[in-house]
Amino acid sequence: MSDRSNSKPETGAFFARDRAWHPPAFAPGYKTSVLRSPQRALLSLDGTISEITGPVFGHSILNELDNDLIHNFAKPGESAIGERIIVHGRVLDERGGPVPGVLLEFWQANAGGRYRHKKETYLAAIDPNFGGCGRAITDGDGHYAFRTIRPGAYPWPNGVNDWRPAHIHFSVFGHGFAQRLITQMYFEGDPMIWKCPIVGTIPDKQAIEQLIAPLDWGNTIPMDARAYKFDIVLRGRRSTLFENRLEGN
Amino acid sequence: MVQDLGYLKETPSQTAGPYVHIGLTPNYSEIGGVYETDLGSVMVNDKTLGERITVMGRVIDGAGAPVKDAVLEIWQADSAGIYNSPSELRGTADPNFTGWGRCPTSSTDGVFRFGTIKPGRVPFKDGRKMAPHITVWIVARGINIGLHTRMYFPEETEANAEDPLLARIEHRDRLATLIAEKEGSVYTFDIHLQGDKETVFLDI
């Protein structure tokens, strides 16, 4: 399971999470959060070995088409319908360094905003050549990339007339289980972003802007696919400035 | 002016949403043929060392209803108390044990179920031993940031009594929310998101 590189593994505890930057558990504009949010305070504890460590996945789990959502569910010779895009970026930690060798998983609706899921009842059509899932592992510099179609906006039963902006869900592992993160990527210039109650669970406008991927003209492939760049920042590890103390045993 | 510390801000969390299964457990969500198996669905094989156990339970919302669209991940040490992680410097973990599992709560009865082994004890930072435990992480529609908690073992009375995390729980009647119920090799660990029986969740 482990994909050990030559670099010395980092073992410091993680920076405390800034929970005022993240959305709060209780955010009544997003109705489902009302009954699914803890009301008691979280119990705080500096990371122990149980959170500093975490699973790391080797490239052996990946198939050739795992990062190509246009083709990984399509019939041979066919492809998903929609705007062809590339999404790429880096996974960094709060100290600005790359986080290599971490698994990212992506899922999304098709070009019409329809998810391939049995609980989904939106009247927009399923694309027979689009599954909507993909995954990638960051390289030595923390880079990842995948190819997909741009998802459509879709309506959901929250307010009477709520629509999600076009978005791609991201699941990111780090090197420690405390870095585990699920988030959503939005697209530059989408006016729906600022109307969305789920986006609105995030209190700080700057934090929301961190989820908006800009159009990356430089990496757009002419006559093929436009590119969007989405960098992800995971919790930083404290430097192990002092290791000359008895700990961990 | 002082120097800029130069740190970045962590990417903010967003809910995993109701269709999280498409990305994390596509085979469960009937998207076949993309991945061979759903990652984390198998933690052990027939060579794995340690006592085989089943960990199951439900996630229950503030109205007492089971949450049928959650995904849980667990992370734990092997039977000798070693994590299968590059950041583990105390030894090499059992190569036949992943230490990590992922399971959706069933869309019909809301039950999650992991086939795993009972973990060994691992040290706290000051060298004291923590009681055997399994780290649990929960995401779902309506949960804006993944919830961390821990499952402890009811038969480990002595170890639990000296566990540094359990010792930090001010309201002692809440300890019970982190301790599973045991019947044979099956541990039942219900997670209450809200209300009288609310599980202790961690900022860790």
Side-chain angles (χ1 to χ4, degrees):
Chain A
M1 185 170 191
S2 303
D3 194 30
R4 287 163 199 271
S5 66
N6 290 325
S7 58
K8 187 176 159 226
E10 288 192 291
T11 55
F14 293 98
F15 292 175
R17 228 168 206 158
D18 178 357
R19 288 186 179 265
W21 181 254
H22 289 281
F26 177 74
Y30 174 26
K31 293 182 180 179
T32 315
S33 77
V34 171
L35 285 174
R36 294 186 173 191
S37 45
Q39 294 168 323
R40 312 284 188 106
L42 303 179
L43 177 68
S44 299
L45 199 69
D46 191 27
T48 73
I49 191 163
S50 304
E51 297 80 27
I52 291 166
T53 57
V56 172
F57 304 90
H59 285 83
S60 61
I61 69 163
L62 297 181
N63 301 307
E64 206 166 302
L65 292 180
D66 277 6
N67 67 346
D68 184 352
L69 283 70
I70 295 178
H71 297 107
N72 69 9
F73 192 77
K75 292 186 250 325
E78 298 189 17
S79 56
I81 290 172
E83 297 179 38
R84 297 163 61 89
I85 60 170
I86 291 160
V87 178
H88 75 108
R90 295 179 77 199
V91 178
L92 306 166
D93 72 15
E94 289 170 294
R95 294 192 294 179
V99 191
V102 298
L103 177 69
L104 295 100
E105 298 159 295
F106 330 104
W107 68 101
Q108 62 169 93
N110 70 21
R114 176 73 188 262
Y115 283 94
R116 183 177 284 277
H117 192 284
K118 56 189 169 192
K119 288 284 182 74
E120 157 74 288
T121 55
Y122 182 32
L123 47 77
I126 287 276
D127 177 345
N129 288 309
F130 188 71
C133 62
R135 59 189 179 186
I137 291 177
T138 57
D139 69 13
D141 295 321
H143 281 109
Y144 73 91
F146 61 100
R147 178 155 67 157
T148 187
I149 52 93
R150 180 175 163 130
Y154 98 101
W156 59 301
N158 186 63
V160 172
N161 187 26
D162 279 335
W163 292 71
R164 298 301 325 281
H167 64 279
I168 299 176
H169 296 266
F170 277 68
S171 155
V172 193
F173 287 81
H175 294 157
F177 204 54
Q179 287 176 303
R180 196 75 183 82
L181 181 74
I182 281 185
T183 190
Q184 302 184 27
M185 180 200 109
Y186 305 102
F187 292 84
E188 180 184 10
D190 185 347
M192 303 297 296
I193 294 169
W194 306 104
K195 296 178 183 294
C196 176
I198 288 179
V199 173
T201 60
I202 299 173
D204 190 315
K205 183 163 184 280
Q206 269 186 292
I208 293 172
E209 284 167 346
Q210 202 172 343
L211 299 182
I212 304 175
L215 178 66
D216 178 1
W217 202 242
N219 275 300
T220 287
I221 305 175
M223 307 302 285
D224 181 349
R226 287 174 301 158
Y228 285 86
K229 184 166 191 289
F230 185 54
D231 287 343
I232 295 163
V233 180
L234 299 180
R235 294 169 70 174
R237 268 182 201 276
R238 292 205 298 268
S239 309
T240 38
L241 299 172
F242 291 93
E243 295 187 273
N244 51 348
R245 60 180 168 174
L246 185 66
E247 87 175 336
N249 274 307
Chain B
M1 285 293 284
V2 295
Q3 291 186 22
D4 182 355
L5 283 166
Y7 295 131
L8 305 173
K9 292 298 285 185
E10 187 186 7
T11 296
S13 174
Q14 290 269 264
T15 180
Y19 309 129
V20 55
H21 316 98
I22 295 173
L24 302 192
T25 56
N27 291 293
Y28 168 80
S29 130
E30 294 165 20
I31 298 176
V34 181
Y35 308 150
E36 257 169 51
T37 56
D38 287 339
L39 210 57
S41 54
V42 178
M43 300 175 68
V44 297
N45 62 34
D46 48 13
K47 292 190 202 124
T48 306
L49 304 173
E51 179 189 341
R52 297 291 194 285
I53 62 169
T54 299
V55 172
M56 57 176 287
R58 294 177 305 161
V59 178
I60 295 160
D61 74 12
V67 172
K68 296 177 181 177
D69 53 12
V71 171
L72 279 79
E73 293 182 6
I74 62 173
W75 173 241
Q76 63 167 95
D78 69 9
S79 60
I82 303 291
Y83 281 100
N84 188 355
S85 164
S87 303
E88 171 63 89
L89 303 181
R90 298 171 303 133
T92 304
D94 179 356
N96 293 300
F97 183 59
T98 66
W100 176 80
R102 173 186 277 168
C103 185
T105 57
S106 153
S107 61
T108 51
D109 58 10
V111 171
F112 62 84
R113 192 175 276 104
F114 293 94
T116 183
I117 51 116
K118 186 172 173 182
R121 296 180 73 171
V122 299
F124 193 59
K125 292 191 303 180
D126 58 10
R128 281 184 289 165
K129 288 227 180 266
M130 295 193 273
H133 63 272
I134 294 177
T135 297
V136 181
W137 186 70
I138 305 137
V139 292
R141 172 173 67 102
I143 295 178
N144 290 324
I145 181 163
L147 295 167
H148 280 268
T149 187
R150 278 187 186 182
M151 187 200 101
Y152 286 85
F153 294 81
E155 71 278 17
E156 295 284 342
T157 330
E158 263 175 60
N160 290 344
E162 60 188 33
D163 183 80
L165 184 141
L166 294 177
R168 287 280 285 270
I169 300 174
E170 184 186 347
H171 301 100
R172 303 307 288 167
D173 57 331
R174 299 196 69 207
L175 252 72
T177 70
L178 300 188
I179 299 173
E181 286 176 23
K182 177 175 168 41
E183 207 180 309
S185 63
V186 178
Y187 292 84
T188 301
F189 185 57
D190 283 339
I191 294 156
H192 293 263
L193 296 177
Q194 196 183 83
D196 290 346
K197 291 188 267 182
E198 186 174 309
T199 300
V200 173
F201 295 106
L202 308 172
D203 184 10
I204 205 153

